[in-house]
Amino acid sequence: MADAPIDALVRGLDLTQLDENLFVGNPGEGMGRLFGGMVAAQSVMAAQLTVAEGHLHSLHAYFLRGGSYSDPIRFVVHRIRDGRTYTTRRVVAEQNGEAIFSMGTSFTRPEEGGEHQLDMPDVPPPEALPTWQEVRARQGMTMPVAAHVEAFESRMPYDEDTEPGSASRYVWLKPRGELPDDPQVHLAATVYASDRTLAGTAAAPMGYTRTDLSVSSLDHAMWLHRKPRFDDWVLYASESPAGYAARGLAFGAMYTRDGTRFASVAQEGLLRRPRT
């Protein structure tokens, strides 16, 4: 029996520990540039494996060079601080002797406090919506060839063919298969998924489609308000407030089906026409 699509992602998150602060990960099989969400998710796994207590509440990362699917990735973890409430780690991902990604992470122990959130956007439920693949096929778009890129099913509550140029986007996401009952894997899978859709959100109000551009992430920040579980559909709402000089900024929010906001995201991407 063939593996479920989510298994390719889960295998990538299973890092090999070489030393106290050194891990190696397999980027999986694929062609072209490595999807940035994979190296981000693996970096989060490496950081988590060095923290005895607490859960990730924020990360700030830079994509330094394009990674590839051809070679393993080394993850070097720097133990910046172990505090009573907050713990800080820095992870540098290296491939072929060069740094391709850098991430700062902060972990916290549970603490009592007030809470609030903005309401989840009012969008149709995912069941009757077209898949992301169907929408992209109508636009003549293809994705990089990598098994883990298809790890999530995506459904869009609008049609980009009839609503072009919008600075807002809403996408329902759900794993194509079952994730292990491991909070660390659910967190890393959430980080992986957070790198989806944002570049397209920033490109649309500029009048571009993804077929017009060479797209790559420059930096990525994420705040986890609650511990994520990726057992069901998640709504990923994003908007782009500004873009300039081949860069586009996008903000995102992730909601459970019952409307609970559990994560916020910010990303600046490089939106460049292919060079001839």
Side-chain angles (χ1 to χ4, degrees):
M1 180 182 295
D3 287 344
I6 198 69
D7 291 341
L9 172 59
V10 174
R11 282 196 300 272
L13 300 178
D14 185 15
L15 305 183
T16 299
Q17 186 166 4
L18 301 182
D19 204 342
E20 184 181 23
N21 302 308
L22 178 61
F23 304 83
V24 172
N26 186 345
E29 297 180 359
M31 298 175 60
R33 178 180 293 177
L34 175 66
F35 174 59
M38 171 57 87
V39 68
Q42 291 176 318
S43 296
V44 164
M45 286 298 296
Q48 290 184 104
L49 292 171
T50 69
V51 177
E53 293 185 58
H55 60 272
L56 183 73
H57 75 90
S58 71
L59 64 87
H60 299 262
Y62 285 92
F63 296 87
L64 306 175
R65 291 182 178 87
S68 73
Y69 294 99
S70 58
D71 297 289
I73 305 174
R74 288 164 44 99
F75 299 90
V76 182
V77 180
H78 300 268
R79 299 175 183 246
I80 307 300
R81 179 176 184 267
D82 288 281
R84 288 181 296 180
T85 304
Y86 290 93
T87 296
T88 306
R89 297 289 186 264
R90 180 172 176 263
V91 184
V92 178
E94 302 173 349
Q95 195 173 46
N96 294 319
E98 293 185 325
I100 64 171
F101 182 80
S102 174
M103 173 185 285
T105 60
S106 181
F107 295 79
T108 185
R109 292 178 174 83
E111 189 171 352
E112 293 292 330
E115 62 180 71
H116 76 95
Q117 70 160 71
L118 298 176
D119 291 338
M120 182 174 76
D122 184 14
V123 299
E127 284 76 13
L129 298 173
T131 67
W132 189 88
Q133 289 79 5
E134 291 169 343
V135 172
R136 290 299 187 270
R138 289 200 297 270
Q139 298 176 334
M141 294 181 60
T142 59
M143 287 293 295
V145 181
H148 57 73
V149 171
E150 297 298 325
F152 292 90
E153 183 176 354
S154 307
R155 295 179 181 260
M156 308 180 73
Y158 65 94
D159 191 331
E160 290 183 322
D161 292 335
T162 59
E163 300 182 39
S166 174
S168 299
R169 174 175 294 194
Y170 308 101
V171 180
W172 288 101
L173 298 170
K174 182 182 179 182
R176 291 178 177 270
E178 187 174 347
L179 288 171
D181 188 20
D182 182 343
Q184 293 185 334
V185 172
H186 280 257
L187 171 61
T190 302
V191 173
Y192 178 99
S194 72
D195 194 34
R196 299 285 296 270
T197 83
L198 295 179
T201 302
M206 299 179 186
Y208 295 136
T209 66
R210 289 291 296 268
T211 55
D212 298 327
L213 299 171
S214 172
V215 175
S216 57
S217 303
L218 293 173
D219 59 1
H220 193 86
M222 190 171 186
W223 298 264
L224 284 304
H225 314 302
R226 301 170 186 268
K227 294 181 181 180
R229 290 287 302 185
F230 227 137
D231 299 316
D232 197 0
W233 290 102
V234 165
L235 180 66
Y236 196 8
S238 57
E239 62 178 0
S240 179
Y244 180 71
R247 300 187 310 275
L249 179 65
F251 297 126
M254 288 182 161
Y255 300 87
T256 61
R257 287 197 68 156
D258 67 4
T260 300
R261 181 167 178 162
F262 64 90
S264 298
V265 186
Q267 183 183 96
E268 188 174 48
L270 181 64
L271 311 173
R272 178 183 286 160
R273 289 187 182 277
R275 295 170 175 174
T276 57

